[in-house]
Amino acid sequence: MTHATPHTQRGRNSDRPFDFRKAKPDTTPRNSARTSASERSRPMTSTHLPEHATTETQDCDVIVVGGGFGGIYQLRHLRDRGFSVILLEASGGFGGAWSLNRYPGARVDSHAPVYQFTDEYLWKDWNFSQMFPDHEEMRSYFDYVDSKLDLSKDSRFNTKVVSATFDEDERMWTLVSQNDESFRARFVVFATGSTTEPYIPNIPEMDAYRGELVHTARWRDDIDMTGKRVAIIGTGASAVQVVQEAGPVVEKLTVFQRTPNLSLPMHQEHLTEERQAVLKETMPDVADKCRETFAAIDYEFDPRNGVDTSEEERLALFERLWNQGGFAFWLGNFSDYLFSEETNSMVYEFWKSKIKPQILDPVKADLLVPDVAPHPFGAKRPALHQNYYEVMNQENVELVSIQEAPITGFTATGIRTSDGIEHGEFDIIVLATGFNNNTGALTAMEVRNSAGVTLGEKWRKGVDAYLGAFTSGFPNAMFVYGPQSPAAFANGSTNAELQGEVMVEFLEFLRSEGLTRFESTPEADQAWTDHINGTDDMALFKHAKSWYNGSNIPGKKPQMLQYLNGLPMYLDFWHKEKAAGYTDGLRVS
């Protein structure tokens, strides 16, 4: 097996503590200028269904769960091929993570030309205003896509699936929503995404806190940080983004850091009409390039090994990638840097030489940029920053390390750490603690097979999912952007298209052959896990505690949950399965 580098973003008057665990975000669909008010005047719910729908069980060929890039692709292309399809979305509109993530500073960490559908019908009349769009513009983009494709007519918003049960005799799935609506289909495509189920840490005495408590993934529009005393727990991508927005407007900001974020410069760009026109001209080439590269993005890793290049050559590459901005320094680096500790160390030293001089306070500098790397560079997804380190330099920003003195509990006004210090008084505490990635959204539902076993029960001791799309014991179900797929290591929109293509093609094959059941074999599931583990054993990811391998969630079995060998090789396995008549790792009947 060859080395492969993966791709890897006060307002409440009650005197009772806000229970964010039961809170629901404002998920009303945004009306795009390109979408008429009559089309999107109100969300579809159990009390407001399209004219053709009823409140009784609704049958169709395929149910798609999730309305992000992956779900939209499935709905559009299955519908175009004559399947009857219903898309069920828990929030109030399309966009997946972008429908839910509305915290200050939330924005895309892939550059705009690659983070959209590659169909010219969709990109020719759409222009992003920034190279890295924010969450509001992303929702406008999805509204625009809806207006072009008329997706809403076959979608049910504010419809959170709570259970899915397979009937072996009828070879049908029945899905039930939180509103007790029932839907039946021959096949189910779970497009629930990787970053949708927030991780809420089990911090003692959390209910004792009397101020605002909110998770970034469930932000509310009525929360205003201006002039407040704010604490942020976490330093992942969402924390970096919130810090940049909070620091300039709050009275005091306290950031609780366990592991520093090895953040990279975004190099944001506001796109003029002239620049947008230039990008339009390159879109066909960008789309073609994304279909060929390891990470489904418009550049590739340097084929050389860092350990074999001269210092002059190494520094030249590092400097060029750094100046390019975005994820270039991560995804365009030497091909061995996630396998060779020596090359990885040189990458970290260059990063350190760029970031440490920006931090004025030597104590903060040592915490934000340790002399020794906290983990191999790139083994955790880096954030992209615009002015993160400048904000951390501000006098009203305090950095508290919880590596040596972890958080032990909340107080009525703040946070207590193991060294006995009580930090506060805080008006708002922000949990930027990330997600139960990859499996969280799937196991949060009660997905149950005909033997009564749930998906969560099957995966409790570890995930085995052939092609990152199937798992034995759960017939007629597929996962888009699921565990053990390229997911986190491939550009999301392109992955949705390329993985989506082979999945739609597979369902077409079943229909043409009159087949009504499919299931992966236990042997194929295990072989896929072994294939992933073979690469992971050679790589440096196991030296980092991250959501890539599930080690960010207490009690979750640590294992590599991403496909590590790139999207082209991943698709080669699909083509092999197709050439075998879908009988290599699958059983169809």
Side-chain angles (χ1 to χ4, degrees):
M1 182 180 298
T2 58
H3 285 179
T5 312
H7 166 46
T8 68
Q9 346 172 346
R10 200 165 161 170
R12 184 175 54 85
N13 296 320
S14 171
D15 61 355
R16 299 186 52 151
F18 171 62
D19 189 355
F20 61 89
R21 288 159 292 189
K22 297 179 181 178
K24 295 181 180 179
D26 175 9
T27 52
T28 303
R30 292 169 48 83
N31 287 330
S32 167
R34 300 170 177 83
T35 309
S36 71
S38 62
E39 288 176 305
R40 300 296 298 275
S41 60
R42 51 183 175 150
M44 297 181 208
T45 68
S46 59
T47 56
H48 173 62
L49 297 172
E51 292 181 0
H52 64 277
T54 72
T55 56
E56 298 179 357
T57 299
Q58 300 166 58
D59 286 20
C60 59
D61 297 324
V62 184
I63 292 174
V64 177
V65 183
F69 278 112
I72 287 174
Y73 185 93
Q74 293 294 309
L75 171 59
R76 177 193 183 183
H77 290 277
L78 288 171
R79 191 176 66 179
D80 287 351
R81 286 159 176 77
F83 289 89
S84 59
V85 189
I86 296 176
L87 183 147
L88 306 180
E89 167 57 40
S91 74
F94 293 111
W98 301 110
S99 182
L100 293 170
N101 284 275
R102 299 168 180 236
Y103 59 85
R107 68 177 60 250
V108 174
D109 58 10
S110 295
H111 47 294
V114 304
Y115 201 70
Q116 57 184 300
F117 289 113
T118 59
D119 184 347
E120 183 177 359
Y121 176 69
L122 295 177
W123 61 252
K124 67 178 180 179
D125 295 324
W126 175 262
N127 289 301
F128 283 110
S129 66
Q130 295 181 314
M131 186 62 79
F132 296 89
D134 67 12
H135 60 104
E136 292 184 356
E137 190 162 25
M138 284 308 303
R139 288 194 294 278
S140 293
Y141 170 72
F142 283 104
D143 282 345
Y144 163 76
V145 171
D146 183 18
S147 73
K148 297 283 284 187
L149 301 178
D150 195 16
L151 301 168
S152 289
K153 71 177 184 180
D154 295 305
S155 303
R156 307 291 183 271
F157 300 113
N158 299 313
T159 305
K160 180 178 178 61
V161 175
V162 295
S163 71
T165 306
F166 186 68
D167 185 314
E168 186 64 68
D169 293 333
E170 295 192 2
R171 297 186 172 186
M172 295 283 287
W173 280 96
T174 298
L175 279 66
V176 178
S177 76
Q178 89 281 17
N179 301 318
D180 290 327
E181 295 173 272
S182 182
F183 305 85
R184 291 202 328 154
R186 178 73 66 198
F187 307 115
V188 176
V189 178
F190 291 100
T192 49
S194 176
T195 52
T196 54
E197 190 67 23
Y199 165 57
I200 310 298
N202 185 22
I203 300 174
E205 302 172 281
M206 189 177 283
D207 290 341
Y209 177 64
R210 311 304 290 180
E212 289 282 10
L213 184 60
V214 63
H215 192 285
T216 51
R218 296 296 181 264
W219 198 268
R220 303 193 322 274
D221 290 343
D222 65 325
I223 296 178
D224 182 5
M225 296 185 289
T226 304
K228 305 295 177 56
R229 296 159 298 182
V230 178
I232 298 176
I233 300 175
T235 50
S238 59
V240 168
Q241 291 174 335
V242 175
V243 164
Q244 293 174 136
E245 300 296 317
V249 303
V250 300
E251 175 187 327
K252 176 70 179 294
L253 176 64
T254 305
V255 180
F256 291 83
Q257 170 186 285
R258 183 179 61 189
T259 306
N261 195 306
L262 307 188
S263 183
L264 296 171
M266 176 177 283
H267 290 191
Q268 178 66 288
E269 179 184 354
H270 293 273
L271 303 176
T272 64
E273 290 185 6
E274 293 77 14
R275 181 74 166 118
Q276 289 168 345
V278 170
L279 293 176
K280 282 286 192 292
E281 292 179 0
T282 64
M283 277 298 293
D285 292 336
V286 166
D288 289 343
K289 183 72 172 177
C290 287
R291 299 179 73 88
E292 300 170 353
T293 60
F294 181 98
I297 204 163
D298 58 341
Y299 46 80
E300 187 63 280
F301 295 101
D302 191 294
R304 298 172 294 173
N305 288 332
V307 293
D308 298 330
T309 61
S310 67
E311 182 179 11
E312 181 180 5
E313 291 175 312
R314 286 197 303 272
L315 292 178
L317 176 65
F318 291 162
E319 197 70 41
R320 178 176 63 81
L321 296 175
W322 191 267
N323 292 332
Q324 187 174 340
F327 279 151
F329 190 75
W330 186 32
L331 301 178
N333 225 304
F334 291 111
S335 62
D336 68 331
Y337 94 98
L338 284 171
F339 296 86
S340 164
E341 292 184 3
E342 184 178 354
T343 299
N344 194 280
S345 178
M346 291 185 287
V347 172
Y348 179 75
E349 288 300 315
F350 183 87
W351 177 86
K352 184 170 70 174
S353 73
K354 289 292 188 180
I355 299 298
K356 199 154 193 172
Q358 299 180 38
I359 306 167
L360 305 179
D361 183 333
V363 175
K364 287 182 180 178
D366 288 343
L367 291 175
L368 292 168
V369 189
D371 284 338
V372 177
H375 53 74
F377 186 91
K380 294 180 71 170
R381 186 181 181 94
L384 297 185
H385 65 262
Q386 298 181 80
N387 62 338
Y388 176 62
Y389 297 104
E390 291 90 334
V391 171
M392 293 302 294
N393 279 327
Q394 294 178 190
E395 292 184 0
N396 69 329
V397 178
E398 179 185 7
L399 182 61
V400 176
S401 175
I402 54 174
Q403 183 67 254
E404 301 300 327
I407 293 173
T408 57
F410 279 25
T411 68
T413 60
I415 296 170
R416 183 189 304 110
T417 49
S418 64
D419 52 9
I421 297 176
E422 293 190 6
H423 306 266
E425 313 263 339
F426 300 130
D427 301 304
I428 303 171
I429 296 178
V430 178
L431 297 177
T433 50
F435 299 87
N436 183 355
N437 298 75
N438 304 296
T439 60
L442 292 166
T443 57
M445 296 179 284
E446 190 178 89
V447 181
R448 191 177 297 276
N449 64 19
S450 60
V453 177
T454 67
L455 194 56
E457 290 168 341
K458 184 194 174 184
W459 285 349
R460 185 167 295 147
K461 295 182 179 179
V463 173
D464 296 302
Y466 178 52
L467 298 177
F470 312 93
T471 193
S472 61
F474 291 80
N476 291 11
M478 290 193 290
F479 316 115
V480 177
Y481 219 68
Q484 296 191 321
S485 77
F489 294 161
N491 178 48
S493 56
T494 314
N495 182 84
E497 293 184 326
L498 295 180
Q499 188 184 19
E501 284 179 4
V502 293
M503 293 174 70
V504 169
E505 187 177 55
F506 171 57
L507 290 177
E508 283 193 292
F509 167 82
L510 295 174
R511 182 177 61 182
S512 68
E513 298 296 317
L515 302 170
T516 58
R517 190 185 189 280
F518 65 81
E519 183 182 352
S520 62
T521 66
E523 294 78 12
D525 288 352
Q526 184 60 55
W528 189 251
T529 297
D530 293 343
H531 172 53
I532 291 173
N533 289 345
T535 302
D536 189 40
D537 287 343
M538 296 186 293
L540 300 176
F541 295 101
K542 52 186 168 290
H543 301 298
K545 192 172 184 179
S546 80
W547 59 266
Y548 289 162
N549 52 34
S551 56
N552 65 317
I553 305 297
K556 192 171 182 176
K557 179 185 176 180
Q559 68 171 121
M560 177 49 66
L561 292 169
Q562 323 300 325
Y563 183 73
L564 297 175
N565 291 320
L567 204 51
M569 185 179 292
Y570 171 79
L571 294 174
D572 284 345
F573 281 94
W574 267 96
H575 298 149
K576 177 186 175 185
E577 185 64 53
K578 176 184 176 182
Y582 299 102
T583 59
D584 187 8
L586 297 173
R587 295 293 176 264
V588 294
S589 59

Short mmCIF file of all heavy atoms in Angstrom, two decimals, residues 82 218 243 308 378 484 546:
data_model
loop_
_atom_site.label_atom_id
_atom_site.label_comp_id
_atom_site.label_asym_id
_atom_site.label_seq_id
_atom_site.Cartn_x
_atom_site.Cartn_y
_atom_site.Cartn_z
N GLY A 82 -36.41 9.22 -12.35
CA GLY A 82 -37.73 8.61 -12.26
C GLY A 82 -38.06 7.94 -10.96
O GLY A 82 -39.13 7.31 -10.84
N ARG A 218 -25.68 25.30 18.31
CA ARG A 218 -27.09 25.58 18.59
C ARG A 218 -27.24 27.06 19.02
O ARG A 218 -27.98 27.38 19.92
CB ARG A 218 -27.61 24.64 19.68
CG ARG A 218 -27.61 23.16 19.28
CD ARG A 218 -28.56 22.90 18.12
NE ARG A 218 -28.60 21.48 17.75
CZ ARG A 218 -27.88 20.94 16.78
NH1 ARG A 218 -27.04 21.71 16.07
NH2 ARG A 218 -27.97 19.66 16.50
N VAL A 243 -13.92 33.52 18.64
CA VAL A 243 -12.95 34.41 19.28
C VAL A 243 -12.73 35.66 18.44
O VAL A 243 -12.68 36.79 18.96
CB VAL A 243 -11.61 33.68 19.51
CG1 VAL A 243 -10.48 34.67 19.81
CG2 VAL A 243 -11.74 32.68 20.65
N ASP A 308 13.82 14.09 1.66
CA ASP A 308 14.76 13.91 0.55
C ASP A 308 15.08 15.21 -0.17
O ASP A 308 15.85 15.21 -1.14
CB ASP A 308 14.19 12.92 -0.47
CG ASP A 308 14.00 11.53 0.12
OD1 ASP A 308 14.76 11.18 1.04
OD2 ASP A 308 13.08 10.83 -0.31
N GLY A 378 -1.26 18.60 11.07
CA GLY A 378 -2.18 18.04 10.08
C GLY A 378 -2.91 16.81 10.54
O GLY A 378 -3.83 16.36 9.87
N GLN A 484 -16.12 5.98 7.70
CA GLN A 484 -15.24 5.17 6.86
C GLN A 484 -15.37 5.51 5.37
O GLN A 484 -14.95 4.74 4.52
CB GLN A 484 -15.45 3.67 7.11
CG GLN A 484 -15.10 3.25 8.54
CD GLN A 484 -15.05 1.75 8.73
OE1 GLN A 484 -15.87 1.00 8.17
NE2 GLN A 484 -14.11 1.29 9.52
N SER A 546 -8.43 13.25 18.24
CA SER A 546 -9.26 14.08 17.35
C SER A 546 -10.53 13.34 16.96
O SER A 546 -10.68 12.14 17.21
CB SER A 546 -8.47 14.43 16.08
OG SER A 546 -8.48 13.35 15.15
#
